[in-house]
C-alpha cells in the first residue's frame, strides 16, 4: 500500500474520516490516501457515536481507497476490514493469526474487534460513488487500543469493558512502534482490498466465520427507532449479512444502523 498510497501524519484533527470525506466530496482524491492523527478531537464511531481514545494509548487513522466495484457490490467490506486488521496486528507483533485466535481475539459483526469480550477496536466506513463511471471511494476509519486499557475504561461513562493489544503480548515483548503498526496495517489492507475487488466478500465468508465472536449464541439486534430482533447467530452469508435463526426460519440482517448484543 505504501508505494501507491499518500501517507499523511498530523498531530491533531477533528476526525481523519471527515478530513478525507471532505476531499472526496470536493473531487480532490486521485490516489489512495492514509491519514493518521496523534489526537482526534471529534473522532467518530458508527451511527454518529463518539470514538473515545487516549492519544498516547491508541492508534486512530483513516484510509481513502478507490474500489472498482459499485457501492452495492461492496457489502461485507467492514467484515473484510476486520480480517485485514487481524492480519496486520499479527505481522506487526510478530505473531501468527493462530496466536491471536488462541488469545481470544474475535470479530463482532459488523465492525468491532473484541479481545476476551472486551472492545479492542472499531471500524467506521463512509463514502460512495459520485458518478457511475468513477471509482467507489470508501473512507475506512480504524481505531485500536494499544495499551492502558484500564485507564481508558475508567474514562468511559457507559461502563464498557475495554481491551488493548498489549494484553495479547508476552510480558517480555514490547508493543510495536505505532508507525510500524500503521504501515503493517496499510500493507494488509492493500492485499485484502485488491483480492476483495476481484472476488467479493464470498471468498472470505468462511474466514470471517472462524473469527465470529458469537457463533450459535442467542443475540439481540437493535436499531434506531426499531424494536429489537432476537435469534441465534449463525454466521454470515456470502454478502456479509448476519444470519439469525428464529424458530424454524433463517433471516438475514444487513449492516446499517444496527447493534448486536449477546444475551446472557
Amino acid at each position: 500500500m505504501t508505494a501507491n498510497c499518500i501517507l499523511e501524519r498530523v498531530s491533531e484533527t477533528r476526525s481523519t474520516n471527515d478530513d478525507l470525506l471532505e476531499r472526496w466530496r470536493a473531487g480532490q482524491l486521485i490516489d489512495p490516501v492514509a491519514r493518521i492523527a496523534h489526537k482526534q478531537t471529534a473522532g467518530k464511531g458508527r451511527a454518529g457515536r463518539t470514538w473515545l481514545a487516549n492519544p498516547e494509548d491508541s492508534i486512530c487513522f483513516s484510509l481513502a481507497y478507490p474500489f472498482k466495484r459499485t457501492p452495492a457490490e461492496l457489502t461485507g467490506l467492514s467484515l473484510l476490514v476486520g480480517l485485514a486488521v487481524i492480519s496486520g496486528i499479527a505481522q506487526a507483533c510478530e505473531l501468527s493469526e493462530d496466536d491471536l485466535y488462541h488469545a481470544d481475539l474475535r470479530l463482532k459483526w459488523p465492525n468491532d474487534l473484541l479481545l476476551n469480550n472486551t472492545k479492542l477496536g472499531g471500524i467506521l466506513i463512509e463514502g460512495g460513488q459520485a458518478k457511475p463511471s468513477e471509482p467507489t471511494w470508501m473512507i475506512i476509519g480504524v481505531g485500536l487500543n494499544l495499551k492502558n486499557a484500564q485507564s481508558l475504561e475508567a474514562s468511559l461513562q457507559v461502563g464498557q469493558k475495554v481491551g488493548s493489544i498489549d494484553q495479547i503480548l508476552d510480558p517480555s515483548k514490547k508493543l510495536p512502534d505505532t508507525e510500524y503498526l500503521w504501515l503493517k496495517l496499510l500493507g494488509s489492507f492493500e492485499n485484502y482490498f485488491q483480492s476483495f475487488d476481484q472476488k467479493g466478500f464470498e471468498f472470505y465468508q468462511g474466514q470471517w466465520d472462524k473469527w465470529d465472536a458469537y457463533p450459535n449464541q442467542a443475540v439481540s439486534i437493535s436499531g434506531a427507532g426499531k424494536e429489537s430482533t432476537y435469534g441465534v447467530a449463525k454466521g454470515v452469508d456470502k454478502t456479509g449479512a448476519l444470519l439469525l435463526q428464529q424458530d424454524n426460519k433463517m433471516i438475514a440482517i444487513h449492516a446499517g444502523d444496527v447493534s448486536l448484543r449477546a444475551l446472557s
Side-chain angles (χ1 to χ4, degrees):
M1 174 70 72
T2 53
N4 300 306
C5 181
I6 299 168
L7 301 178
E8 298 180 347
R9 305 163 181 86
V10 295
S11 60
E12 182 174 316
T13 188
R14 284 181 51 80
S15 162
T16 53
N17 255 45
D18 282 350
D19 293 344
L20 296 179
L21 273 171
E22 287 177 10
R23 284 187 232 171
W24 168 63
R25 289 171 178 146
Q28 297 173 348
L29 294 179
I30 299 174
D31 295 315
V33 180
R35 185 173 176 86
I36 189 169
H38 174 68
K39 180 180 181 181
Q40 295 194 66
T41 59
K44 299 190 300 181
R46 290 179 66 248
R49 302 180 186 94
T50 300
W51 175 261
L52 297 177
N54 295 329
E56 299 293 339
D57 301 332
S58 64
I59 179 172
C60 298
F61 68 94
S62 299
L63 170 65
Y65 188 87
F67 289 91
K68 298 175 183 177
R69 290 173 168 261
T70 66
E73 294 171 328
L74 289 175
T75 58
L77 179 58
S78 67
L79 281 63
L80 179 94
V81 172
L83 294 173
V85 170
I86 287 173
S87 177
I89 291 173
Q91 293 175 54
C93 295
E94 298 181 345
L95 297 170
S96 70
E97 292 190 18
D98 281 344
D99 290 333
L100 299 184
Y101 185 87
H102 292 305
D104 207 19
L105 177 60
R106 294 292 187 272
L107 296 175
K108 175 185 173 184
W109 184 92
N111 69 324
D112 286 339
L113 290 98
L114 304 182
L115 180 63
N116 294 312
N117 284 320
T118 65
K119 187 160 183 175
L120 177 70
I123 298 159
L124 174 66
I125 299 180
E126 303 173 282
Q129 187 179 40
K131 299 177 183 177
S133 60
E134 296 183 355
T136 302
W137 281 93
M138 302 308 291
I139 315 301
I140 298 137
V142 175
L144 292 171
N145 302 320
L146 301 179
K147 58 182 179 175
N148 294 330
Q150 290 183 336
S151 174
L152 177 58
E153 193 173 288
S155 69
L156 298 175
Q157 298 179 349
V158 295
Q160 184 175 35
K161 297 295 183 180
V162 174
S164 54
I165 290 178
D166 66 339
Q167 296 171 339
I168 300 172
L169 302 178
D170 184 278
S172 64
K173 291 189 68 173
K174 291 185 177 181
L175 268 171
D177 177 77
T178 302
E179 175 85 4
Y180 182 73
L181 173 61
W182 183 44
L183 296 179
K184 287 296 184 183
L185 289 168
L186 293 178
S188 179
F189 285 2
E190 178 180 31
N191 293 332
Y192 274 83
F193 290 174
Q194 288 179 350
S195 178
F196 178 75
D197 229 355
Q198 297 174 352
K199 302 173 182 177
F201 179 74
E202 185 176 5
F203 181 76
Y204 294 96
Q205 179 183 354
Q207 187 178 345
W208 193 91
D209 280 341
K210 170 189 172 182
W211 294 93
D212 184 2
Y214 302 130
N216 299 309
Q217 291 191 41
V219 299
S220 69
I221 306 292
S222 58
K226 298 179 181 179
E227 292 187 5
S228 295
T229 302
Y230 299 90
V232 176
K234 292 292 183 179
V236 295
D237 68 13
K238 63 182 181 181
T239 71
L242 178 70
L243 296 175
L244 209 61
Q245 180 77 49
Q246 292 183 324
D247 298 324
N248 296 320
K249 66 178 180 178
M250 189 80 74
I251 64 173
I253 307 293
H254 296 274
D257 183 17
V258 297
S259 178
L260 180 149
R261 180 172 62 89
L263 300 177
S264 57

